[in-house]
């Protein structure tokens, strides 16, 4: 009887979470997300630590997972500690970055400042995000500098349009 009640409760929470997160119903992805979200809702932690949460996912599912994580951070007012080697995700989703080298913290910064430290990034073997590489290539080609470093494609498009309009 207890297991029946638990299953009914889980199905109820599962359906509530599906309504909350409003994602397409890819069965594999939906199970992962719902399990993830139900666990978070049940425990209600202030800090959530995620180690490479999108490893092995296709690009669309990866974007959905990262968007959900950001949504939880903002709407549920949670601190998310994201361990990632994907600098595109770090640039797009992080507010603060802690760089570790051999178990020691070597840098604490926001992504924009971090990705402006070319010499240090080389020393730490950190790749630039794709959008930052694109921006640097255009700046070099046209011998100009954008007013700030873009952390995602939307920011870059806006900067590029403003620059192109001024030319």
């Amino acid at each position: 009887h207890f297991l029946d009640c638990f299953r009914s409760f889980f199905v109820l929470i599962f359906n509530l979470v599906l309504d909350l997160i409003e994602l397409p119903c890819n069965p594999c992805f939906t199970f992962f997300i719902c399990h993830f979200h139900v666990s978070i809702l049940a425990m209600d932690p202030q800090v959530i630590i995620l180690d490479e949460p999108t490893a092995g996912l296709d690009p669309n599912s990866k974007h959905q997972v990262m968007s959900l994580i950001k949504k939880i951070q903002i709407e549920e007012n949670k601190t998310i500690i994201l361990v990632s080697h994907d600098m595109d995700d770090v640039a797009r989703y992080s507010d603060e970055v802690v760089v570790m080298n051999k178990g020691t913290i070597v840098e604490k910064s926001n992504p924009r400042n971090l990705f402006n430290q070319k010499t240090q990034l080389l020393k730490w073997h950190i790749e630039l995000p794709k959008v930052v590489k694109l921006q640097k290539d255009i700046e070099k080609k046209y011998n100009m500098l954008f007013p700030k470093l873009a952390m995602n494609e939307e920011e870059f498009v806006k900067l590029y349009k403003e620059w192109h309009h001024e030319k």
Side-chain angles (χ1 to χ4, degrees):
H1 182 69
F2 173 76
L3 288 177
D4 290 337
C5 289
F6 180 75
R7 274 190 216 108
S8 297
F9 176 73
F10 184 78
V11 168
L12 174 66
I13 295 297
F14 186 86
N15 288 326
L16 285 171
V17 169
L18 281 178
D19 289 342
L20 278 174
I21 60 178
E22 300 170 357
L23 292 172
C25 288
N26 171 332
C28 183
F29 177 72
T30 302
F31 175 78
F32 169 78
I33 289 302
C34 288
H35 176 71
F36 170 74
H37 203 135
V38 167
S39 298
I40 290 170
L41 289 175
M43 294 183 293
D44 194 30
Q46 287 304 305
V47 178
I48 301 166
I49 301 172
L50 301 168
D51 187 2
E52 303 282 355
T54 60
L57 294 179
D58 65 272
N60 189 42
S61 295
K62 178 180 177 175
H63 175 72
Q64 289 176 325
V65 168
M66 291 306 296
S67 295
L68 174 62
I69 291 168
K70 191 65 175 178
K71 182 177 178 179
I72 290 169
Q73 177 201 10
I74 293 167
E75 293 180 8
E76 303 290 326
N77 195 30
K78 303 291 182 191
T79 298
I80 307 288
I81 298 173
L82 176 68
V83 178
S84 181
H85 293 89
D86 186 326
M87 294 304 109
D88 294 324
D89 286 348
V90 169
R92 177 177 285 281
Y93 297 107
S94 299
D95 300 320
E96 182 179 0
V97 181
V98 176
V99 178
M100 296 187 74
N101 187 11
K102 298 179 184 173
T104 303
I105 294 174
V106 294
E107 180 68 29
K108 282 174 114 175
S109 180
N110 66 52
R112 202 174 313 277
N113 289 339
L114 175 69
F115 294 123
N116 266 317
Q117 299 180 42
K118 185 177 180 179
T119 305
Q120 289 299 94
L121 294 174
L122 287 170
K123 177 181 167 185
W124 299 325
H125 307 285
I126 295 176
E127 293 264 334
L128 288 174
K130 291 179 192 96
V131 70
V132 174
K133 287 179 187 175
L134 174 64
Q135 180 174 338
K136 296 287 185 187
D137 288 347
I138 290 175
E139 287 175 341
K140 185 177 180 180
K141 180 177 180 175
Y142 293 102
N143 195 28
M144 52 76 71
L145 291 174
F146 288 102
K148 69 178 184 178
L149 200 57
M151 293 292 100
N152 56 56
E153 293 81 2
E154 296 82 9
E155 279 186 12
F156 177 75
V157 168
K158 183 178 178 190
L159 289 169
Y160 183 81
K161 284 181 178 179
E162 288 170 0
W163 169 73
H164 198 267
H165 180 70
E166 291 173 5
K167 263 181 28 162

